[in-house]
Amino acid sequence: MLNVNEYFDGKVKSIAYKTESLPASVGVMSVGEYVFNTADKETMTVITGALEITFKDATESKTFGAGESFDVEANSSFDVVVKQETAYLCTYG
């Protein structure tokens, strides 16, 4: 079953679904700055565009472009700066 989610006044939208092994979502982020909190471990893969990520307790950010992935631990958070509309895939667990 597909679930449509909307965050940050509609600037981030995703469709959640179940892969063969893990829950996932695919979505798009508009230009802006966001803070995401995690309940489960997340692996995010940038499909198009780029995400500038600052991990919890980090002092510097890192930019991930199309085809690149990063992991975020459960019960954590990360800051995101989006400078161009960006599509992503996120798996949970």
Side-chain angles (χ1 to χ4, degrees), residues 28-76:
V28 177
M29 295 185 196
S30 294
V31 173
E33 297 183 16
Y34 312 101
V35 177
F36 289 93
N37 296 301
T38 62
D40 297 313
K41 178 185 174 200
E42 297 184 9
T43 300
M44 292 194 70
T45 302
V46 177
I47 299 170
T48 62
L51 299 175
E52 184 180 318
I53 305 299
T54 304
F55 297 102
K56 184 177 180 179
D57 299 326
T59 57
E60 294 185 19
S61 63
K62 182 172 180 186
T63 300
F64 296 87
E68 295 183 305
S69 299
F70 61 91
D71 294 325
V72 182
E73 294 302 316
N75 303 309
S76 187

Side-chain angles (χ1 to χ4, degrees), residues 1 3 5 8-9 18 21 23 34 37 53 66 69 74 81-82 89:
M1 174 175 278
N3 293 317
N5 300 300
F8 303 103
D9 296 322
K18 176 81 168 134
S21 58
Y34 312 101
N37 296 301
I53 305 299
S69 299
V81 175
V82 183
L89 168 68

